[in-house]
Coordinates of all heavy atoms in Angstrom, one line a residue:
M1 N 24.4 -50.8 -70.5 CA 25.8 -50.5 -70.2 C 26.3 -51.1 -68.9 O 25.6 -51.0 -67.9 CB 25.9 -48.9 -70.2 CG 27.3 -48.4 -69.9 SD 27.5 -46.6 -70.2 CE 26.1 -45.9 -69.4
D2 N 27.5 -51.7 -69.0 CA 27.9 -52.4 -67.8 C 28.4 -51.4 -66.7 O 28.7 -50.2 -67.0 CB 29.0 -53.5 -68.1 CG 30.3 -53.0 -68.6 OD1 30.8 -52.0 -68.0 OD2 30.8 -53.6 -69.5
T3 N 28.6 -51.8 -65.5 CA 28.9 -51.0 -64.4 C 30.3 -50.4 -64.6 O 30.5 -49.2 -64.3 CB 28.9 -51.7 -63.1 OG1 27.6 -52.3 -62.9 CG2 29.1 -50.8 -61.9
A4 N 31.3 -51.2 -65.0 CA 32.7 -50.7 -65.2 C 32.7 -49.5 -66.2 O 33.3 -48.5 -66.0 CB 33.6 -51.8 -65.6
L5 N 31.9 -49.7 -67.3 CA 31.9 -48.7 -68.3 C 31.2 -47.4 -67.8 O 31.7 -46.3 -68.0 CB 31.2 -49.2 -69.6 CG 31.1 -48.2 -70.8 CD1 32.5 -47.7 -71.2 CD2 30.5 -48.8 -72.0
E6 N 30.1 -47.6 -67.1 CA 29.5 -46.4 -66.5 C 30.4 -45.7 -65.5 O 30.4 -44.4 -65.5 CB 28.2 -46.8 -65.8 CG 27.4 -45.7 -65.3 CD 26.0 -46.0 -64.8 OE1 25.7 -47.2 -64.8 OE2 25.3 -45.1 -64.5
E7 N 31.2 -46.4 -64.7 CA 32.1 -45.8 -63.8 C 33.2 -45.1 -64.6 O 33.6 -44.0 -64.2 CB 32.8 -46.9 -62.9 CG 31.8 -47.4 -61.8 CD 32.4 -48.4 -61.0 OE1 33.6 -48.8 -61.1 OE2 31.7 -49.0 -60.1
N8 N 33.7 -45.6 -65.7 CA 34.7 -44.9 -66.6 C 34.1 -43.6 -67.1 O 34.8 -42.6 -67.1 CB 35.1 -45.8 -67.7 CG 36.0 -46.9 -67.3 OD1 36.6 -46.9 -66.2 ND2 36.3 -47.9 -68.2
I9 N 32.8 -43.7 -67.5 CA 32.2 -42.4 -68.1 C 32.1 -41.4 -67.0 O 32.4 -40.2 -67.2 CB 30.8 -42.8 -68.7 CG1 31.1 -43.5 -70.0 CG2 30.0 -41.5 -68.9 CD1 29.8 -44.1 -70.7
M10 N 31.6 -41.8 -65.8 CA 31.4 -40.9 -64.7 C 32.8 -40.3 -64.2 O 32.9 -39.1 -63.9 CB 30.6 -41.5 -63.6 CG 29.2 -41.9 -63.9 SD 28.2 -40.5 -64.7 CE 27.6 -39.8 -63.2
G11 N 33.8 -41.2 -64.3 CA 35.1 -40.8 -63.9 C 35.6 -39.7 -64.8 O 36.3 -38.8 -64.4
A12 N 35.4 -39.9 -66.2 CA 35.8 -39.0 -67.1 C 35.1 -37.6 -66.9 O 35.7 -36.6 -67.0 CB 35.6 -39.5 -68.6
L13 N 33.8 -37.7 -66.6 CA 33.0 -36.5 -66.4 C 33.4 -35.7 -65.2 O 33.2 -34.5 -65.1 CB 31.5 -36.8 -66.4 CG 30.9 -37.3 -67.7 CD1 29.5 -37.8 -67.4 CD2 31.0 -36.3 -68.7
E14 N 34.1 -36.4 -64.3 CA 34.7 -35.7 -63.1 C 35.8 -34.7 -63.5 O 36.2 -33.9 -62.7 CB 35.2 -36.7 -62.0 CG 34.1 -37.3 -61.3 CD 34.5 -38.3 -60.2 OE1 35.8 -38.5 -60.0 OE2 33.7 -38.8 -59.5
N15 N 36.3 -34.8 -64.7 CA 37.3 -33.9 -65.3 C 36.7 -32.6 -65.9 O 37.4 -31.7 -66.3 CB 38.2 -34.6 -66.3 CG 39.0 -35.6 -65.6 OD1 39.7 -35.3 -64.6 ND2 39.0 -36.8 -66.1
V16 N 35.3 -32.6 -65.9 CA 34.6 -31.4 -66.4 C 34.3 -30.5 -65.2 O 33.5 -30.8 -64.4 CB 33.4 -31.7 -67.2 CG1 32.6 -30.5 -67.6 CG2 33.7 -32.7 -68.3
I17 N 35.0 -29.4 -65.2 CA 34.8 -28.4 -64.0 C 33.9 -27.3 -64.4 O 34.0 -26.7 -65.5 CB 36.2 -27.8 -63.7 CG1 37.3 -28.9 -63.4 CG2 36.1 -26.9 -62.5 CD1 37.0 -29.9 -62.3
D18 N 33.0 -27.0 -63.5 CA 32.1 -25.9 -63.7 C 33.0 -24.6 -63.4 O 33.5 -24.4 -62.3 CB 30.9 -25.9 -62.6 CG 30.0 -24.7 -62.8 OD1 30.5 -23.6 -62.7 OD2 28.8 -25.0 -63.0
P19 N 33.1 -23.8 -64.5 CA 34.1 -22.7 -64.3 C 33.7 -21.7 -63.3 O 34.6 -21.0 -62.7 CB 34.1 -22.0 -65.7 CG 33.4 -23.0 -66.6 CD 32.6 -23.9 -65.8
E20 N 32.4 -21.5 -63.0 CA 32.0 -20.6 -62.0 C 32.2 -21.0 -60.6 O 32.6 -20.3 -59.7 CB 30.5 -20.2 -62.2 CG 30.2 -19.4 -63.4 CD 28.8 -19.1 -63.6 OE1 27.9 -20.0 -63.4 OE2 28.5 -17.9 -63.8
L21 N 32.1 -22.4 -60.3 CA 32.2 -22.9 -59.0 C 33.5 -23.6 -58.7 O 33.8 -23.8 -57.6 CB 31.0 -23.8 -58.7 CG 29.6 -23.2 -58.8 CD1 28.5 -24.2 -58.6 CD2 29.5 -22.1 -57.7
G22 N 34.2 -24.0 -59.8 CA 35.5 -24.7 -59.6 C 35.4 -26.1 -59.1 O 36.3 -26.7 -58.6
I23 N 34.2 -26.7 -59.2 CA 33.9 -28.1 -58.8 C 33.4 -28.9 -60.0 O 32.8 -28.3 -60.9 CB 32.8 -28.2 -57.7 CG1 33.2 -27.3 -56.5 CG2 32.6 -29.6 -57.2 CD1 34.2 -27.7 -55.6
D24 N 33.8 -30.2 -60.1 CA 33.4 -30.9 -61.3 C 31.9 -31.2 -61.3 O 31.2 -31.1 -60.2 CB 34.1 -32.3 -61.3 CG 33.7 -33.2 -60.2 OD1 32.7 -33.9 -60.4 OD2 34.4 -33.2 -59.2
I25 N 31.4 -31.4 -62.5 CA 29.9 -31.5 -62.7 C 29.3 -32.8 -62.1 O 28.1 -32.8 -61.7 CB 29.5 -31.5 -64.2 CG1 30.1 -32.6 -65.0 CG2 29.9 -30.1 -64.8 CD1 29.7 -32.7 -66.4
V26 N 30.1 -33.8 -61.8 CA 29.6 -35.0 -61.1 C 29.3 -34.7 -59.7 O 28.3 -35.0 -59.1 CB 30.5 -36.2 -61.4 CG1 30.0 -37.4 -60.5 CG2 30.6 -36.6 -62.8
N27 N 30.4 -34.2 -59.0 CA 30.2 -33.9 -57.6 C 29.2 -32.8 -57.3 O 28.6 -32.7 -56.2 CB 31.5 -33.6 -56.9 CG 32.3 -34.8 -56.6 OD1 31.9 -35.5 -55.7 ND2 33.4 -35.1 -57.3
L28 N 29.0 -31.9 -58.3 CA 27.9 -30.9 -58.1 C 26.6 -31.5 -58.3 O 25.6 -30.8 -58.0 CB 28.1 -29.8 -59.2 CG 29.2 -28.8 -58.9 CD1 29.4 -27.8 -60.1 CD2 28.9 -28.0 -57.6
G29 N 26.5 -32.7 -58.8 CA 25.2 -33.3 -59.0 C 24.5 -32.9 -60.2 O 23.2 -33.0 -60.4
L30 N 25.2 -32.4 -61.2 CA 24.6 -31.9 -62.4 C 24.4 -33.0 -63.5 O 23.5 -32.8 -64.4 CB 25.5 -30.8 -63.1 CG 25.8 -29.6 -62.3 CD1 26.7 -28.6 -63.0 CD2 24.5 -28.9 -61.9
V31 N 25.1 -34.1 -63.3 CA 24.9 -35.3 -64.2 C 23.8 -36.2 -63.7 O 23.9 -36.7 -62.6 CB 26.2 -36.0 -64.4 CG1 26.0 -37.2 -65.3 CG2 27.3 -35.1 -65.0
Y32 N 22.7 -36.3 -64.5 CA 21.6 -37.1 -64.1 C 21.8 -38.6 -64.6 O 21.2 -39.5 -64.0 CB 20.3 -36.6 -64.6 CG 19.9 -35.3 -63.9 CD1 18.8 -34.5 -64.4 CD2 20.5 -34.9 -62.7 CE1 18.4 -33.4 -63.8 CE2 20.1 -33.7 -62.1 CZ 19.0 -33.0 -62.6 OH 18.6 -31.8 -62.0
G33 N 22.6 -38.8 -65.6 CA 22.8 -40.1 -66.1 C 23.5 -40.1 -67.5 O 23.6 -39.1 -68.1
A34 N 24.0 -41.3 -67.8 CA 24.6 -41.5 -69.1 C 24.1 -42.8 -69.7 O 24.0 -43.8 -69.0 CB 26.1 -41.5 -69.0
D35 N 23.8 -42.8 -71.0 CA 23.3 -44.1 -71.7 C 24.2 -44.2 -72.9 O 24.6 -43.3 -73.6 CB 21.8 -43.9 -72.1 CG 20.9 -43.9 -70.8 OD1 21.0 -44.8 -70.0 OD2 20.2 -42.9 -70.7
M36 N 24.4 -45.5 -73.3 CA 25.1 -45.8 -74.5 C 24.4 -46.9 -75.2 O 24.0 -47.9 -74.6 CB 26.6 -46.3 -74.1 CG 27.4 -46.7 -75.3 SD 29.0 -47.3 -74.9 CE 29.8 -45.9 -74.3
D37 N 24.3 -46.8 -76.6 CA 23.7 -47.8 -77.4 C 24.8 -48.8 -77.8 O 25.9 -48.7 -77.4 CB 22.9 -47.3 -78.5 CG 23.7 -46.6 -79.6 OD1 25.0 -46.8 -79.6 OD2 23.2 -45.8 -80.4
D38 N 24.4 -49.8 -78.6 CA 25.3 -50.9 -79.0 C 26.4 -50.4 -79.9 O 27.4 -51.1 -80.1 CB 24.5 -52.0 -79.7 CG 23.6 -52.7 -78.7 OD1 23.8 -52.7 -77.5 OD2 22.6 -53.4 -79.2
N39 N 26.2 -49.2 -80.5 CA 27.2 -48.7 -81.4 C 28.2 -47.7 -80.7 O 29.0 -47.1 -81.4 CB 26.6 -48.0 -82.6 CG 25.8 -48.9 -83.4 OD1 26.2 -50.0 -83.7 ND2 24.6 -48.5 -83.8
G40 N 28.0 -47.5 -79.4 CA 28.9 -46.6 -78.6 C 28.4 -45.2 -78.7 O 29.1 -44.3 -78.2
N41 N 27.2 -45.0 -79.2 CA 26.7 -43.6 -79.2 C 26.2 -43.3 -77.8 O 25.4 -44.0 -77.2 CB 25.5 -43.5 -80.2 CG 26.0 -43.7 -81.6 OD1 27.1 -43.3 -82.0 ND2 25.2 -44.5 -82.4
T42 N 26.7 -42.3 -77.2 CA 26.5 -42.0 -75.8 C 25.7 -40.7 -75.6 O 26.0 -39.7 -76.2 CB 27.9 -41.9 -75.1 OG1 28.6 -43.1 -75.4 CG2 27.7 -41.7 -73.6
T43 N 24.7 -40.8 -74.7 CA 24.0 -39.6 -74.4 C 24.1 -39.3 -72.9 O 23.9 -40.2 -72.0 CB 22.4 -39.8 -74.7 OG1 22.3 -40.1 -76.0 CG2 21.6 -38.6 -74.3
V44 N 24.6 -38.1 -72.6 CA 24.7 -37.6 -71.2 C 23.5 -36.7 -70.9 O 23.3 -35.7 -71.6 CB 26.0 -36.9 -71.0 CG1 26.1 -36.3 -69.5 CG2 27.2 -37.8 -71.2
T45 N 22.7 -37.1 -69.9 CA 21.6 -36.2 -69.5 C 22.1 -35.5 -68.2 O 22.5 -36.1 -67.2 CB 20.4 -37.0 -69.2 OG1 20.0 -37.8 -70.4 CG2 19.2 -36.2 -68.8
M46 N 22.0 -34.1 -68.3 CA 22.5 -33.3 -67.2 C 21.7 -32.0 -67.2 O 20.9 -31.7 -68.0 CB 24.0 -33.0 -67.4 CG 24.3 -32.2 -68.7 SD 26.1 -31.8 -68.7 CE 26.2 -30.6 -67.4
T47 N 22.0 -31.3 -66.1 CA 21.4 -30.0 -66.0 C 22.5 -29.0 -65.7 O 23.7 -29.3 -65.6 CB 20.3 -30.0 -64.8 OG1 19.5 -28.8 -64.9 CG2 20.9 -30.1 -63.5
L48 N 22.1 -27.7 -65.4 CA 23.1 -26.7 -65.0 C 22.5 -26.1 -63.8 O 21.3 -26.2 -63.4 CB 23.2 -25.7 -66.2 CG 23.7 -26.2 -67.5 CD1 23.6 -25.2 -68.6 CD2 25.2 -26.7 -67.3
T49 N 23.4 -25.3 -63.1 CA 22.9 -24.7 -61.8 C 21.9 -23.6 -62.0 O 21.1 -23.4 -61.1 CB 24.1 -24.2 -61.0 OG1 24.8 -23.2 -61.8 CG2 25.1 -25.3 -60.5
A50 N 21.9 -23.0 -63.2 CA 20.9 -21.9 -63.5 C 20.5 -22.0 -64.9 O 21.4 -22.1 -65.8 CB 21.5 -20.6 -63.1
M51 N 19.3 -21.7 -65.2 CA 18.8 -21.6 -66.6 C 19.4 -20.4 -67.2 O 19.6 -19.4 -66.5 CB 17.3 -21.5 -66.6 CG 16.6 -22.0 -67.8 SD 14.8 -21.9 -67.8 CE 14.4 -23.3 -66.8
G52 N 19.8 -20.5 -68.4 CA 20.4 -19.4 -69.1 C 21.9 -19.2 -68.7 O 22.5 -18.1 -68.9
C53 N 22.5 -20.3 -68.2 CA 23.9 -20.3 -67.8 C 24.8 -19.9 -69.0 O 24.7 -20.6 -70.1 CB 24.3 -21.6 -67.3 SG 26.1 -21.8 -67.0
P54 N 25.6 -18.8 -69.0 CA 26.3 -18.4 -70.1 C 27.5 -19.4 -70.5 O 28.0 -19.3 -71.6 CB 26.9 -17.0 -69.7 CG 26.9 -17.1 -68.2 CD 25.7 -18.0 -67.8
L55 N 27.8 -20.3 -69.6 CA 28.9 -21.2 -69.8 C 28.4 -22.6 -70.3 O 29.1 -23.6 -70.4 CB 29.7 -21.4 -68.6 CG 30.3 -20.1 -68.1 CD1 30.9 -20.2 -66.7 CD2 31.4 -19.7 -69.1
A56 N 27.1 -22.7 -70.6 CA 26.5 -24.0 -71.1 C 27.3 -24.6 -72.2 O 27.6 -25.8 -72.2 CB 25.0 -23.8 -71.4
G57 N 27.6 -23.8 -73.2 CA 28.3 -24.3 -74.4 C 29.7 -24.8 -74.0 O 30.2 -25.8 -74.5
H58 N 30.3 -24.1 -73.2 CA 31.7 -24.5 -72.7 C 31.7 -25.8 -72.0 O 32.5 -26.7 -72.2 CB 32.2 -23.4 -71.7 CG 33.5 -23.7 -71.1 ND1 34.7 -23.5 -71.8 CD2 33.8 -24.1 -69.9 CE1 35.7 -23.9 -71.0 NE2 35.2 -24.3 -69.8
I59 N 30.7 -26.0 -71.1 CA 30.6 -27.2 -70.3 C 30.2 -28.4 -71.3 O 30.8 -29.5 -71.2 CB 29.5 -27.1 -69.2 CG1 30.0 -26.1 -68.1 CG2 29.2 -28.4 -68.6 CD1 29.0 -25.7 -67.1
E60 N 29.3 -28.2 -72.2 CA 28.9 -29.2 -73.2 C 30.2 -29.6 -74.0 O 30.4 -30.8 -74.2 CB 27.8 -28.6 -74.1 CG 27.3 -29.7 -75.1 CD 26.1 -29.1 -75.9 OE1 25.4 -28.2 -75.4 OE2 25.9 -29.7 -77.0
Q61 N 31.0 -28.7 -74.5 CA 32.2 -29.0 -75.2 C 33.2 -29.8 -74.3 O 33.8 -30.8 -74.8 CB 32.9 -27.8 -75.8 CG 32.1 -27.1 -76.9 CD 31.8 -28.1 -78.0 OE1 32.7 -28.8 -78.5 NE2 30.5 -28.1 -78.4
D62 N 33.3 -29.5 -73.1 CA 34.2 -30.2 -72.2 C 33.7 -31.6 -72.0 O 34.5 -32.6 -72.0 CB 34.3 -29.5 -70.8 CG 35.3 -28.4 -70.8 OD1 36.0 -28.2 -71.8 OD2 35.4 -27.7 -69.7
V63 N 32.4 -31.8 -71.9 CA 31.8 -33.2 -71.7 C 32.2 -34.0 -73.0 O 32.7 -35.1 -72.8 CB 30.3 -33.1 -71.6 CG1 29.6 -34.5 -71.8 CG2 29.9 -32.5 -70.2
K64 N 32.0 -33.4 -74.1 CA 32.3 -34.2 -75.4 C 33.8 -34.5 -75.5 O 34.2 -35.5 -75.9 CB 31.9 -33.4 -76.6 CG 30.4 -33.3 -76.7 CD 29.9 -32.5 -77.9 CE 28.4 -32.6 -78.0 NZ 27.9 -31.9 -79.2
R65 N 34.7 -33.5 -75.0 CA 36.1 -33.7 -75.1 C 36.6 -34.8 -74.2 O 37.3 -35.7 -74.6 CB 36.8 -32.4 -74.7 CG 38.3 -32.5 -74.7 CD 39.0 -31.1 -74.2 NE 38.4 -30.6 -73.0 CZ 38.8 -31.1 -71.8 NH1 39.6 -32.0 -71.7 NH2 38.3 -30.6 -70.7
V66 N 36.1 -34.9 -72.9 CA 36.6 -35.9 -72.0 C 36.1 -37.3 -72.4 O 36.7 -38.3 -72.2 CB 36.3 -35.6 -70.5 CG1 36.9 -34.3 -70.1 CG2 34.8 -35.6 -70.2
L67 N 34.8 -37.4 -72.9 CA 34.3 -38.7 -73.3 C 34.9 -39.2 -74.6 O 35.0 -40.4 -74.8 CB 32.8 -38.6 -73.4 CG 32.0 -38.4 -72.1 CD1 30.5 -38.4 -72.3 CD2 32.4 -39.4 -71.1
A68 N 35.3 -38.3 -75.5 CA 36.0 -38.7 -76.7 C 37.3 -39.5 -76.5 O 37.7 -40.3 -77.4 CB 36.3 -37.5 -77.6
D69 N 37.9 -39.4 -75.3 CA 39.1 -40.1 -75.0 C 38.8 -41.6 -74.6 O 39.7 -42.4 -74.5 CB 39.8 -39.4 -73.8 CG 40.4 -38.1 -74.2 OD1 40.6 -37.9 -75.4 OD2 40.7 -37.3 -73.3
L70 N 37.5 -41.9 -74.4 CA 37.2 -43.3 -74.0 C 37.0 -44.1 -75.3 O 36.2 -43.7 -76.2 CB 35.9 -43.4 -73.2 CG 36.0 -42.7 -71.8 CD1 34.6 -42.7 -71.1 CD2 37.1 -43.2 -70.9
P71 N 37.7 -45.2 -75.4 CA 37.6 -46.0 -76.7 C 36.3 -46.6 -77.0 O 35.9 -46.8 -78.2 CB 38.7 -47.1 -76.5 CG 38.9 -47.2 -75.0 CD 38.6 -45.8 -74.5
E72 N 35.4 -46.8 -76.0 CA 34.1 -47.4 -76.2 C 33.1 -46.4 -76.8 O 32.1 -46.7 -77.3 CB 33.5 -48.0 -74.9 CG 34.4 -49.0 -74.3 CD 35.4 -48.4 -73.3 OE1 35.6 -47.2 -73.2 OE2 36.0 -49.2 -72.6
V73 N 33.4 -45.1 -76.6 CA 32.5 -44.0 -76.9 C 32.7 -43.6 -78.4 O 33.8 -43.4 -78.9 CB 32.7 -42.8 -76.0 CG1 31.8 -41.6 -76.5 CG2 32.4 -43.2 -74.6
N74 N 31.5 -43.6 -79.1 CA 31.5 -43.1 -80.5 C 31.0 -41.7 -80.6 O 31.8 -40.8 -80.3 CB 30.7 -44.1 -81.3 CG 30.8 -43.9 -82.8 OD1 31.6 -43.1 -83.3 ND2 29.9 -44.5 -83.6
E75 N 29.8 -41.5 -80.9 CA 29.2 -40.2 -80.9 C 28.7 -39.8 -79.6 O 28.2 -40.6 -78.8 CB 28.1 -40.1 -82.0 CG 28.6 -40.2 -83.4 CD 27.6 -39.9 -84.4 OE1 26.6 -39.1 -84.1 OE2 27.7 -40.4 -85.6
I76 N 28.7 -38.5 -79.3 CA 28.3 -38.0 -77.9 C 27.2 -36.9 -78.1 O 27.4 -36.0 -78.9 CB 29.5 -37.4 -77.2 CG1 30.6 -38.4 -77.1 CG2 29.1 -36.9 -75.8 CD1 32.0 -37.8 -77.0
T77 N 26.1 -37.1 -77.4 CA 25.1 -36.1 -77.3 C 24.9 -35.7 -75.9 O 24.9 -36.5 -75.0 CB 23.7 -36.7 -77.8 OG1 23.9 -37.3 -79.1 CG2 22.6 -35.7 -77.8
V78 N 24.9 -34.4 -75.7 CA 24.6 -33.8 -74.3 C 23.2 -33.3 -74.3 O 22.9 -32.4 -75.1 CB 25.6 -32.7 -74.0 CG1 25.3 -32.1 -72.6 CG2 27.1 -33.2 -74.1
N79 N 22.4 -33.9 -73.4 CA 21.0 -33.5 -73.3 C 20.8 -32.7 -72.0 O 20.9 -33.3 -70.9 CB 20.1 -34.8 -73.3 CG 18.7 -34.5 -73.2 OD1 18.2 -33.4 -73.6 ND2 17.9 -35.5 -72.7
I80 N 20.7 -31.4 -72.2 CA 20.5 -30.5 -71.0 C 19.0 -30.4 -70.7 O 18.2 -30.0 -71.5 CB 21.2 -29.1 -71.2 CG1 22.7 -29.4 -71.3 CG2 20.8 -28.2 -70.0 CD1 23.5 -28.1 -71.6
V81 N 18.7 -30.8 -69.5 CA 17.3 -30.8 -69.0 C 17.1 -29.8 -67.8 O 18.1 -29.6 -67.1 CB 16.8 -32.2 -68.7 CG1 16.9 -33.1 -69.9 CG2 17.6 -32.8 -67.5
W82 N 15.9 -29.4 -67.6 CA 15.6 -28.5 -66.5 C 14.7 -29.1 -65.5 O 14.3 -28.5 -64.5 CB 15.0 -27.2 -67.0 CG 16.0 -26.5 -67.9 CD1 15.9 -26.4 -69.2 CD2 17.3 -25.9 -67.5 NE1 17.0 -25.7 -69.7 CE2 17.9 -25.4 -68.7 CE3 18.0 -25.8 -66.3 CZ2 19.1 -24.8 -68.7 CZ3 19.2 -25.2 -66.3 CH2 19.8 -24.7 -67.5
N83 N 14.3 -30.4 -65.8 CA 13.4 -31.1 -64.9 C 13.9 -32.5 -64.7 O 14.1 -33.2 -65.7 CB 12.0 -31.1 -65.5 CG 10.9 -31.3 -64.4 OD1 11.2 -31.3 -63.2 ND2 9.7 -31.6 -64.9
P84 N 14.2 -32.9 -63.5 CA 14.0 -32.2 -62.2 C 15.0 -31.1 -62.1 O 16.2 -31.2 -62.6 CB 14.2 -33.3 -61.2 CG 15.1 -34.3 -61.8 CD 14.8 -34.3 -63.2
P85 N 14.6 -30.0 -61.4 CA 15.5 -28.9 -61.3 C 16.7 -29.3 -60.3 O 16.5 -30.1 -59.4 CB 14.6 -27.8 -60.7 CG 13.5 -28.5 -60.1 CD 13.3 -29.8 -60.9
W86 N 17.8 -28.6 -60.6 CA 19.0 -28.9 -59.7 C 18.8 -28.1 -58.4 O 18.3 -27.0 -58.3 CB 20.2 -28.4 -60.4 CG 21.5 -28.5 -59.6 CD1 22.2 -29.7 -59.5 CD2 22.1 -27.6 -58.7 NE1 23.3 -29.4 -58.6 CE2 23.2 -28.2 -58.1 CE3 21.8 -26.2 -58.4 CZ2 24.0 -27.5 -57.2 CZ3 22.6 -25.6 -57.5 CH2 23.7 -26.2 -56.9
T87 N 19.2 -28.8 -57.3 CA 19.2 -28.2 -56.0 C 20.5 -28.5 -55.3 O 21.2 -29.5 -55.7 CB 18.1 -28.6 -55.0 OG1 18.2 -30.0 -54.7 CG2 16.7 -28.4 -55.7
K88 N 21.0 -27.8 -54.3 CA 22.2 -28.1 -53.6 C 22.2 -29.5 -53.0 O 23.2 -30.1 -52.6 CB 22.6 -27.0 -52.7 CG 21.7 -26.9 -51.5 CD 22.2 -25.8 -50.5 CE 21.4 -25.9 -49.3 NZ 20.7 -24.8 -48.8
D89 N 21.0 -30.1 -52.8 CA 20.9 -31.4 -52.2 C 21.5 -32.5 -53.1 O 21.8 -33.6 -52.6 CB 19.4 -31.7 -51.9 CG 18.8 -30.8 -50.8 OD1 19.6 -30.3 -50.0 OD2 17.6 -30.6 -50.9
R90 N 21.7 -32.2 -54.4 CA 22.2 -33.2 -55.3 C 23.8 -33.2 -55.2 O 24.4 -34.1 -55.8 CB 21.8 -32.8 -56.7 CG 20.3 -33.0 -57.0 CD 19.9 -32.9 -58.4 NE 20.6 -33.9 -59.2 CZ 20.2 -35.2 -59.4 NH1 19.0 -35.6 -58.8 NH2 20.8 -36.1 -60.1
M91 N 24.3 -32.2 -54.5 CA 25.8 -32.2 -54.4 C 26.3 -33.2 -53.5 O 25.7 -33.6 -52.5 CB 26.2 -30.8 -53.9 CG 25.9 -29.6 -54.8 SD 26.0 -28.0 -54.1 CE 27.8 -28.0 -53.6
S92 N 27.6 -33.7 -53.8 CA 28.2 -34.6 -53.0 C 28.7 -33.9 -51.7 O 28.8 -32.7 -51.7 CB 29.4 -35.3 -53.7 OG 30.5 -34.3 -53.8
R93 N 29.1 -34.7 -50.7 CA 29.6 -34.2 -49.5 C 30.9 -33.4 -49.8 O 31.1 -32.3 -49.2 CB 29.9 -35.3 -48.5 CG 30.3 -34.8 -47.2 CD 30.3 -36.0 -46.1 NE 30.7 -35.5 -44.8 CZ 31.9 -35.4 -44.4 NH1 32.9 -35.8 -45.2 NH2 32.2 -34.9 -43.2
Y94 N 31.7 -33.9 -50.7 CA 33.0 -33.2 -51.1 C 32.7 -31.8 -51.6 O 33.3 -30.8 -51.3 CB 33.7 -34.1 -52.2 CG 34.7 -33.3 -53.0 CD1 35.9 -32.9 -52.5 CD2 34.4 -32.8 -54.3 CE1 36.8 -32.2 -53.2 CE2 35.2 -32.1 -55.0 CZ 36.5 -31.8 -54.5 OH 37.3 -31.0 -55.2
A95 N 31.7 -31.7 -52.5 CA 31.3 -30.4 -53.1 C 30.8 -29.4 -52.1 O 31.2 -28.3 -52.1 CB 30.3 -30.6 -54.3
K96 N 30.0 -29.9 -51.2 CA 29.5 -29.1 -50.1 C 30.6 -28.5 -49.2 O 30.6 -27.4 -48.9 CB 28.4 -29.8 -49.3 CG 27.1 -30.1 -50.1 CD 26.2 -30.9 -49.2 CE 24.9 -31.1 -50.0 NZ 23.9 -32.0 -49.2
I97 N 31.5 -29.4 -48.9 CA 32.6 -29.0 -48.0 C 33.5 -27.9 -48.8 O 33.9 -26.9 -48.2 CB 33.5 -30.2 -47.6 CG1 32.7 -31.0 -46.6 CG2 34.8 -29.7 -47.0 CD1 33.3 -32.4 -46.3
A98 N 33.8 -28.2 -50.1 CA 34.6 -27.3 -50.8 C 34.0 -26.0 -51.0 O 34.7 -24.9 -51.1 CB 34.9 -28.0 -52.2
L99 N 32.7 -25.9 -51.0 CA 32.0 -24.6 -51.2 C 31.5 -24.0 -49.9 O 30.8 -23.0 -49.9 CB 30.8 -24.8 -52.2 CG 31.2 -25.2 -53.6 CD1 30.0 -25.5 -54.5 CD2 32.0 -24.1 -54.3
G100 N 31.7 -24.7 -48.8 CA 31.3 -24.2 -47.5 C 29.8 -24.2 -47.3 O 29.3 -23.4 -46.6
I101 N 29.2 -25.2 -47.8 CA 27.7 -25.4 -47.7 C 27.5 -26.4 -46.6 O 27.9 -27.5 -46.7 CB 27.1 -25.8 -49.0 CG1 27.2 -24.7 -50.1 CG2 25.6 -26.1 -48.8 CD1 26.8 -25.1 -51.4
P102 N 26.7 -26.1 -45.6 CA 26.4 -27.0 -44.5 C 25.7 -28.3 -45.1 O 24.8 -28.2 -45.9 CB 25.5 -26.3 -43.5 CG 25.5 -24.8 -44.0 CD 26.0 -24.8 -45.4
D103 N 26.0 -29.4 -44.5 CA 25.5 -30.7 -45.0 C 24.1 -30.9 -44.4 O 23.8 -30.6 -43.3 CB 26.4 -31.9 -44.7 CG 26.1 -33.1 -45.5 OD1 25.3 -33.0 -46.4 OD2 26.8 -34.1 -45.4

């Protein structure tokens, strides 16, 4: 996948807001990567802040919704993983400031 397309995908994913924290999943560091095959089938590998998150289905649907707007994207799979585990160190400076977490 070329860099411009990857930037478009990550930019779209910035529109997916974690409902509990009010920050997007990219700045929270929840998105580990996105891959696309030659047919536009896209897999987003991500985690959540806590195992058993009750909003997992909501976030997954939002991921699919924002990526469906990109013309290059065909089918979308969201792969939620727990390894490596998420830590606040994965958050962007913006997310840390917004949540009042020392850098």
Side-chain angles (χ1 to χ4, degrees):
M1 177 167 48
D2 68 44
T3 305
L5 181 55
E6 186 170 4
E7 285 177 7
N8 285 347
I9 288 172
M10 296 308 272
L13 291 173
E14 285 182 357
N15 292 307
V16 177
I17 306 298
D18 181 301
E20 290 181 313
L21 298 175
I23 307 284
D24 69 86
I25 63 174
V26 174
N27 277 292
L28 283 173
L30 299 178
V31 177
Y32 290 168
D35 294 304
M36 180 185 287
D37 69 17
D38 294 337
N39 297 318
N41 298 320
T42 305
T43 301
V44 175
T45 301
M46 62 174 291
T47 193
L48 299 169
T49 54
M51 207 176 283
C53 173
L55 298 167
H58 175 78
I59 293 171
E60 186 175 335
Q61 288 306 311
D62 278 358
V63 167
K64 291 180 177 181
R65 180 181 51 78
V66 300
L67 292 184
D69 290 340
L70 298 177
E72 303 89 350
V73 173
N74 188 9
E75 290 189 27
I76 304 153
T77 303
V78 178
N79 183 22
I80 295 178
V81 298
W82 300 109
N83 203 10
W86 178 84
T87 67
K88 68 178 191 238
D89 295 334
R90 296 192 57 87
M91 295 168 61
S92 72
R93 187 168 181 272
Y94 160 77
K96 289 178 181 176
I97 290 170
L99 296 172
I101 295 172
D103 202 0

